[in-house]
């Protein structure tokens, strides 16, 4: 796949995932939560994103995630690399930092308590938005198609 420079603002639907159960296990999600997520196919065809400010170099990026149950979560990111407190995407709270690396938006989240670092890399690959997640040597992907 080839990476393209472009704006990933807009509405996206999860169209594929890779290695999500192992990743969820690595971030400490319970067996029951992992099985529930698997029952929803890890969001394929059900989880959506709405992104504003998603062009490389944008100082402010807002991502609204709607999960399979209809619950919306909004994350407003400053891409200046300065840390800020937020609720974690997999539970708990911690510090997040976001920057642009070329055409990719890179975010780190450090959990309070155990200090676990979760990395997110969002970028366009062809006409898909790929979100690569990694922690403790485990990597997973969520792939989104434009709506």
């Amino acid at each position: 796949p080839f990476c393209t420079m472009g704006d990933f603002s807009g509405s996206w639907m999860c169209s594929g995932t890779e290695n999500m159960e192992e990743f969820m296990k690595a971030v400490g999600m319970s067996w029951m939560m992992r099985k529930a997520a698997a029952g929803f196919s890890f969001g394929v065809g059900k989880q959506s994103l709405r992104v504003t400010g998603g062009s490389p170099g944008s100082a402010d990026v807002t991502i609204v995630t709607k999960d399979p149950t209809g619950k919306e979560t909004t994350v407003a990111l400053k891409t200046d690399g300065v840390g800020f407190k937020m609720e974690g995407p997999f539970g708990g709270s911690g510090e997040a930092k976001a920057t642009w690396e070329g055409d990719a938006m890179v975010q780190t989240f450090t959990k309070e308590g155990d200090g676990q670092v979760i990395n997110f890399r969002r970028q366009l690959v062809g006409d898909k938005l790929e979100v690569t997640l990694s922690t403790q040597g485990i990597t997973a992907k969520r792939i989104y198609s434009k709506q």
Side-chain angles (χ1 to χ4, degrees), residues 1-9 12 51 53-58 61 79 99-107 120-132:
F2 63 95
C3 297
T4 58
M5 186 76 155
D7 187 344
F8 50 83
S9 295
W12 300 86
V51 181
S55 58
S58 296
V61 179
T79 60
T99 58
W100 287 98
E101 289 181 5
D103 64 343
M105 188 175 67
V106 178
Q107 176 188 350
F120 302 79
R121 183 177 186 85
R122 296 173 178 92
Q123 77 186 108
L124 293 176
V125 177
D127 62 349
K128 307 288 186 195
L129 173 60
E130 285 193 3
V131 181
T132 304

Side-chain angles (χ1 to χ4, degrees), residues 70-81:
K71 178 183 173 198
E72 286 193 355
T73 304
T74 301
V75 176
L77 299 170
K78 297 274 188 200
T79 60
D80 57 7

Side-chain angles (χ1 to χ4, degrees), residues 18-19 21-27 116-119 132-141:
E18 297 173 10
N19 205 32
E21 185 158 2
E22 283 303 307
F23 180 80
M24 293 170 86
K25 189 175 184 179
V27 297
Q116 181 180 20
V117 176
I118 304 169
N119 298 293
T132 304
L133 310 122
S134 61
T135 191
Q136 300 175 337
I138 305 294
T139 299
K141 277 189 184 176

Side-chain angles (χ1 to χ4, degrees), residues 76-87:
L77 299 170
K78 297 274 188 200
T79 60
D80 57 7
V82 175
F84 60 94
K85 296 278 187 202
M86 68 174 278
E87 289 301 309

Side-chain angles (χ1 to χ4, degrees), residues 10-14 47-51 63-66 122 129 131 144:
S11 296
W12 300 86
M13 178 62 70
C14 184
Q47 183 192 51
S48 63
L49 298 180
R50 195 169 59 248
V51 181
I63 302 170
V64 179
T65 304
K66 188 173 189 178
R122 296 173 178 92
L129 173 60
V131 181
Y144 295 87

